[in-house]
Amino acid sequence: MSSNAWPNYREMTAEQMLAWGLEESEARQADLRVRTAEGLAAAQANAEARRKLIGASRSAAASMVIDANRHARRSL
């Protein structure tokens, strides 16, 4: 699901939150491949833009990413 196709995070089901968190985690890893100060700034700006698309606070977005990663590890 593309970033702009996600509903507001308050309207997401638990499954959608896990899916968004997993997609966001992968996007963050991809963004962090540029290991410079400019790359970090760009990665932070990209993460902020994606979380704002779903109306999530930094804390809510981070929680969704953490929960998705935990769920993925448990499913292995």
Side-chain angles (χ1 to χ4, degrees):
M1 194 176 278
S2 67
S3 297
N4 56 355
W6 293 104
N8 183 286
Y9 89 100
R10 289 181 184 94
E11 299 168 359
M12 287 184 184
T13 63
E15 291 80 18
Q16 287 174 314
M17 286 184 176
L18 287 174
W20 185 89
L22 185 59
E23 185 178 293
E24 177 63 13
S25 178
E26 292 169 356
R28 289 179 181 192
Q29 290 298 316
D31 286 347
L32 289 171
R33 288 192 181 120
V34 179
R35 296 189 171 269
T36 63
E38 294 81 11
L40 176 59
Q44 290 171 329
N46 291 341
E48 182 177 4
R50 288 189 298 267
R51 77 168 173 83
K52 285 182 176 181
L53 282 174
I54 62 165
S57 65
R58 285 184 188 149
S59 176
S63 291
M64 286 189 277
V65 170
I66 290 166
D67 291 345
N69 286 327
R70 280 186 186 142
H71 185 268
R73 279 194 309 272
R74 289 181 186 145
S75 299
L76 293 178

